[in-house]
């Protein structure tokens, strides 16, 4: 990552501190890291027809990620999969639904957690990662806008 590109998490935290007039502290967070949800995408390879482009969407709490991945690997075979995207998110269910809706609108085959690109589609893993990152950032921006809206409504009364 380039050094001149701002880190969204650090910038978001700075703005929250400014908005709510909170002084940053060096204390560790009291949040339980096992409560953090992760949403990820695995790239699947179908050995019977390698021209098919498949992806598997999953979500779980941080403490259950390894267990979830082992269950998926057992079902589809570890050699046929590689993880291309995993990010912490406010709601893994919400991000998964956003991704599924996005691809349903593009007339992809979406069933359960499987996404399949149409034949001769220009999508590959790199393009998929870029698109997933955009959807992830939209989700975070929506959360940021909600916090700002709440702050503005509260600050009107003071």
């Amino acid at each position: 990552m380039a050094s001149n590109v701002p880190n969204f998490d650090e910038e978001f935290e700075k703005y929250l501190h400014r908005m709510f007039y909170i002084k940053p502290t060096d204390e560790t967070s009291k949040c339980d890291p096992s409560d953090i949800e992760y949403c990820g995408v695995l790239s699947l390879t179908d050995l019977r027809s390698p021209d098919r482009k498949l992806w598997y969407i999953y979500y779980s709490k941080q403490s259950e990620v390894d267990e979830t991945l082992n269950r998926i690997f057992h079902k589809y075979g570890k050699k046929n999969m590689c993880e291309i995207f995993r990010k912490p998110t406010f709601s893994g269910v919400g991000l998964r639904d956003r991704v599924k809706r996005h691809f349903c609108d593009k007339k992809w085959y979406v069933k359960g957690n499987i996404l399949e690109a149409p034949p001769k589609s220009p999508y590959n893993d790199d393009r998929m990662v870029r698109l997933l990152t955009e959807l992830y950032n939209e989700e975070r921006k929506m959360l940021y806008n909600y916090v700002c809206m709440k702050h503005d409504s509260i600050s009107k009364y003071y």
Side-chain angles (χ1 to χ4, degrees):
M1 182 181 240
S3 61
N4 60 353
V5 178
N7 184 352
F8 181 79
D9 293 330
E10 292 173 6
E11 292 297 317
F12 187 64
E13 188 171 342
K14 283 181 194 175
Y15 287 122
L16 286 176
H17 282 287
R18 286 183 197 152
M19 260 192 325
F20 297 111
Y21 309 106
I22 300 172
K23 293 180 183 176
T25 62
D26 293 332
E27 290 181 14
T28 58
S29 175
K30 295 177 184 173
C31 298
D32 185 10
S34 64
D35 288 341
I36 297 173
E37 284 194 21
Y38 279 82
C39 187
V41 177
L42 301 165
S43 176
L44 290 169
T45 305
D46 188 359
L47 297 175
R48 291 172 280 168
S49 62
D51 56 332
R52 287 177 70 191
K53 297 172 187 167
L54 300 166
W55 291 274
Y56 186 93
I57 305 170
Y58 72 91
Y59 66 92
S60 66
K61 293 193 178 218
Q62 184 176 9
S63 59
E64 301 166 356
V65 169
D66 292 334
E67 181 182 312
T68 303
L69 287 175
N70 285 337
R71 193 174 64 246
I72 297 168
F73 288 154
H74 181 70
K75 184 175 182 179
Y76 293 101
K78 192 169 187 169
K79 291 188 278 185
N80 303 334
M81 308 183 93
C82 71
E83 188 169 32
I84 61 171
F85 182 83
R86 183 195 305 179
K87 294 283 185 177
T89 183
F90 178 71
S91 168
V93 176
L95 184 60
R96 185 188 75 150
D97 288 342
R98 179 182 283 267
V99 170
K100 285 174 68 172
R101 268 187 277 121
H102 177 80
F103 287 110
C104 279
D105 292 345
K106 290 186 171 275
K107 307 294 187 227
W108 280 35
Y109 175 74
V110 178
K111 183 174 181 186
N113 292 329
I114 300 286
L115 300 172
E116 182 176 355
K120 299 183 180 170
S121 171
Y123 278 87
N124 58 14
D125 287 346
D126 294 333
R127 190 167 179 188
M128 190 71 166
V129 168
R130 279 194 304 259
L131 186 76
L132 291 167
T133 304
E134 287 175 14
L135 291 171
Y136 173 74
N137 288 336
E138 284 176 18
E139 185 86 11
R140 294 188 59 138
K141 187 172 183 175
M142 187 176 67
L143 177 63
Y144 175 77
N145 288 338
Y146 175 76
V147 170
C148 289
M149 180 188 70
K150 284 296 190 183
H151 173 70
D152 289 343
S153 66
I154 290 171
S155 64
K156 287 179 184 178
Y157 294 107
Y158 291 110

